[in-house]
Amino acid sequence: MEAQRLTAGHGWEWIKQGYALFMKAPLLWIVLLMICLVAAVAISAIPFIGEPLVSLLMPAMIVGLMAGCRALHNGEELELPHLLSGFQRHTTPLVTLGGITLAAQFLILGVMMLVGGGALVTILMSNTDISDPNIFTTAIAGAGLAVLIGLTLFSVLLMATQFAPMLVYINNAPPIAAMKLSLNAFTHNIAPMLVYGASFMLLAILASLPMFLGWLVLLPVIFTSLYAAYVDIFPPIKEEAAAPVSDVFSRDESHF
């Protein structure tokens, strides 16, 4: 499997196509996202194991949203049971993917500690009150290199995990192979990814202006546009019922 190399304009097209998927069932998308957020907060509140457990289950939770996108893409209805898709099929590799991601996060934090970011890492991993800016100022004072290395490594990890859940669930890729493919997708498509990211930064500002109400739309579109990007970079969807992406999204051009 090879990631497609696309032009910069595709970055904005992913957002348009994600919005088209959202508009097929806007209220239900909002409900699905609220369920995911409440579940994540509830699990993370479990003492000691809550936050690591969220990291382990996150790929399976993301797959649930992607299954909803795929259903709409195939001309089907979006339904609440789609959220459980990642817990019904390929659960073990998805949880394994979450475990690899969690281990990588701890490894990156360990590297940051080794290069002088111990105080900063301690604050990030503890329940220390960080409302006082002096706490961060003191911690960051001697951690310039650690912050730079940490941002770089976490960015690489994000790129490696962005498409990995879909590659595991839809394309049956093993977790490590899925992460490599996801990373390749980013390195092969730097221009559209920059357009995609910059567009979302602008939209995030606009969504935050009327008391953050715009996030009710933008948050679901983050996930639906991620699916649109995945379909564009890794065609075709290997299912007999899948319609061509251009055919599905062209029917929604009227929304724009």
Side-chain angles (χ1 to χ4, degrees):
M1 187 187 306
E2 188 76 20
Q4 301 294 306
R5 297 175 184 268
L6 306 173
T7 59
H10 283 257
W12 177 245
E13 287 299 316
W14 299 335
I15 297 175
K16 289 176 60 179
Q17 293 166 2
Y19 179 74
L21 284 175
F22 168 75
M23 288 303 296
K24 288 177 178 290
L27 293 180
L28 190 51
W29 271 122
I30 294 172
V31 171
L32 291 177
L33 261 295
M34 292 302 103
I35 291 174
C36 289
L37 289 175
V38 170
V41 171
I43 294 173
S44 64
I46 301 174
F48 304 111
I49 65 169
E51 293 185 4
L53 188 57
V54 170
S55 295
L56 288 174
L57 299 179
M58 188 57 66
M61 295 174 68
I62 291 174
V63 158
L65 297 172
M66 297 300 105
C69 292
R70 184 174 56 164
L72 292 174
H73 172 216
N74 290 344
E76 302 168 5
E77 295 292 328
L78 177 65
E79 300 176 348
L80 287 175
H82 284 128
L83 284 180
L84 300 178
S85 299
F87 299 96
Q88 296 171 336
R89 187 162 66 91
H90 296 307
T91 305
T92 298
L94 287 170
V95 173
T96 300
L97 177 62
I100 294 171
T101 303
L102 180 62
Q105 291 171 350
F106 281 118
L107 181 61
I108 294 171
L109 292 174
V111 171
M112 291 176 65
M113 294 182 71
L114 289 175
V115 294
L120 179 60
V121 172
T122 300
I123 291 173
L124 294 175
M125 297 185 65
S126 67
N127 294 321
T128 304
D129 181 13
I130 58 175
S131 59
D132 184 357
N134 291 328
I135 296 177
F136 260 130
T137 301
T138 303
I140 295 176
L145 179 60
V147 171
L148 180 60
I149 291 176
L151 287 175
T152 301
L153 293 178
F154 273 114
S155 296
V156 173
L157 180 61
L158 177 63
M159 290 186 286
T161 56
Q162 195 80 349
F163 297 113
M166 291 89 84
L167 289 164
V168 168
Y169 184 78
I170 298 176
N171 298 89
N172 300 314
I176 295 295
M179 295 179 73
K180 291 180 179 178
L181 285 168
S182 180
L183 183 59
N184 286 338
F186 273 81
T187 57
H188 291 175
N189 293 281
I190 295 176
M193 289 298 177
L194 287 176
V195 172
Y196 181 69
S199 298
F200 261 118
M201 289 179 64
L202 177 59
L203 291 172
I205 295 173
L206 296 176
S208 302
L209 293 179
M211 297 187 297
F212 295 90
L213 293 178
W215 280 93
L216 290 175
V217 174
L218 187 60
L219 188 58
V221 172
I222 289 174
F223 291 96
T224 55
S225 64
L226 177 62
Y227 175 82
Y230 161 75
V231 171
D232 206 15
I233 294 173
F234 294 103
I237 294 179
K238 296 186 176 181
E239 287 197 279
E240 294 179 359
V245 180
S246 58
D247 291 349
V248 174
F249 290 128
S250 63
R251 291 197 294 268
D252 297 281
E253 288 295 323
S254 59
H255 291 298
F256 311 108

